[in-house]
Amino acid sequence: MRTFSIISVGLCIVGFALLLSNYLNTKFNEPVVMVGFVAMLLGTIFSFVAFAKNELGFLKFIAAGAFFVVAFLVCALDPFQVIRMMAWLKN
């Protein structure tokens, strides 16, 4: 069964959609960004669980790669968003 792979891809899609909606919106919304990052992080964790259980298929690679690609793009294109999230988490 490929349940962990499907869950990981679903969570990564939800996280990417939330981050994209915040990026396209002119007003910064901290909870949306936080939920987006958490969803992508949970998707990556489920992807690593799929690796550990030796699930068949290619979906587990997509979710793990998507997290690192999106995290790199956020840091490269809008680095102040990462600093803003760290300050929001600190307070």
Side-chain angles (χ1 to χ4, degrees):
M1 205 67 183
R2 299 181 344 190
T3 56
F4 288 109
S5 298
I6 293 171
I7 291 171
S8 67
V9 169
L11 284 171
C12 280
I13 289 171
V14 167
F16 180 72
L18 288 172
L19 291 174
L20 183 65
S21 69
N22 184 57
Y23 185 73
L24 295 176
N25 195 2
T26 57
K27 183 181 173 189
F28 184 78
N29 195 356
E30 290 96 357
V32 171
V33 174
M34 183 67 179
V35 171
F37 275 127
V38 168
M40 290 200 69
L41 184 63
L42 284 174
T44 304
I45 291 170
F46 277 113
S47 178
F48 287 132
V49 170
F51 282 129
K53 291 188 177 263
N54 290 328
E55 288 188 3
L56 299 175
F58 188 70
L59 288 177
K60 57 188 172 189
F61 298 109
I62 293 173
F67 174 75
F68 294 111
V69 168
V70 169
F72 172 74
L73 288 176
V74 166
C75 290
L77 297 176
D78 198 7
F80 292 112
Q81 187 173 8
V82 176
I83 296 170
R84 191 180 303 162
M85 278 305 300
M86 288 181 183
W88 183 70
L89 286 174
K90 182 182 175 193
N91 294 330

